[in-house]
Amino acid sequence: MFNKFLRENKAASVILTVLRLYLGYSWITVGIGKLSSGGFDASGFLKGAIANPVKGPDGAVVFGWYVDFLKHFALPNVDIFNVIVPWGETLIGLGLILGCLTTTAMFFGLVMNFSFFLAGTVSHNPRDIFLGFIILTAGYNAGKIGLDRWVVPFLRKMGSKNTGTEKSKAAV
C-alpha cells in the first residue's frame, strides 16, 4: 500500500520533490565545494578509515573486507577517487535537483552514502540513506515533477527502437 502511494500518487510526487531537492542541494553543495577548493584529496580520509576501522563491541573489525578494499584498491588509486568523489557528488546533486535520471542519481548517492558509512563516517549518512531509499522506491514518481517527465519516456522510446520492440508491435 505504501509502495503504491509512493510510486503512483500525485501528492507523493510533491513530497518526493521536496525530499529530492533537499538531498540534491546537500549533494551539490558538497561536490561543488570540493571541486572549487582547488584540489580535493581523499588520501587523508582513506588513511584514517584504514587506521581506525569500524569495530564492534568486542573490538573486532566489523567490515574487514571494506578495509581491505580501501587499503589495496582505493588508496593506491586515490587519484581516480579524487576525481570520482567530487564529480559524483556534484552530478548526483544535479540529477536530484533537476529530477533528471532521478533513480540513477539516487542509486549512486546511496552507493556513496554506504561507502562513507562503511568507512566509519556516520554524520548525516543514516538520514540520507533513509530518504534515499524512499526516493529510490518511488521510482519514476520521484522525478515526475522534473526533467524525468520527458527524459524517461524518451529513453524508453529509444530503448524500444533499439531492441526492435516497435517493429514487432507493428507486425502484430
Side-chain angles (χ1 to χ4, degrees):
M1 185 166 121
F2 187 64
N3 260 0
K4 184 174 175 130
F5 171 76
L6 282 178
R7 296 176 75 77
E8 299 174 10
N9 190 286
K10 288 181 183 180
S13 67
V14 173
I15 295 166
L16 291 162
T17 300
V18 172
L19 293 178
R20 200 186 76 223
L21 290 171
Y22 170 75
L23 284 177
Y25 178 78
S26 178
W27 278 108
I28 202 165
T29 54
V30 170
I32 289 175
K34 288 176 182 161
L35 288 172
S36 63
S37 69
F40 169 71
D41 185 12
S43 61
F45 176 82
L46 294 173
K47 288 175 185 174
I50 292 166
N52 189 23
V54 176
K55 294 180 182 167
D58 60 353
V61 174
V62 178
F63 305 115
W65 60 271
Y66 193 70
V67 175
D68 288 340
F69 166 77
L70 295 177
K71 187 185 299 181
H72 300 295
F73 183 77
L75 194 55
N77 297 298
V78 71
D79 292 337
I80 296 169
F81 284 86
N82 288 342
V83 173
I84 290 173
V85 171
W87 278 105
E89 290 171 341
T90 303
L91 292 173
I92 289 164
L94 194 61
L96 292 174
I97 288 171
L98 297 176
C100 185
L101 303 174
T102 303
T103 53
T104 303
M106 197 66 262
F107 171 79
F108 285 108
L110 286 169
V111 167
M112 289 185 80
N113 278 133
F114 274 109
S115 296
F116 299 141
F117 207 50
L118 290 170
T121 304
V122 176
S123 184
H124 53 80
N125 287 307
R127 178 198 63 214
D128 291 356
I129 289 169
F130 177 71
L131 296 176
F133 271 116
I134 291 171
I135 290 171
L136 196 62
T137 301
Y140 173 70
N141 205 29
K144 201 172 199 176
I145 302 175
L147 294 179
D148 278 348
R149 175 175 286 253
W150 299 280
V151 172
V152 170
F154 174 78
L155 291 175
R156 286 181 180 156
K157 184 177 177 182
M158 294 303 293
S160 65
K161 283 183 182 179
N162 291 339
T163 61
T165 308
E166 293 293 321
K167 193 181 283 185
S168 63
K169 284 182 184 176
V172 174

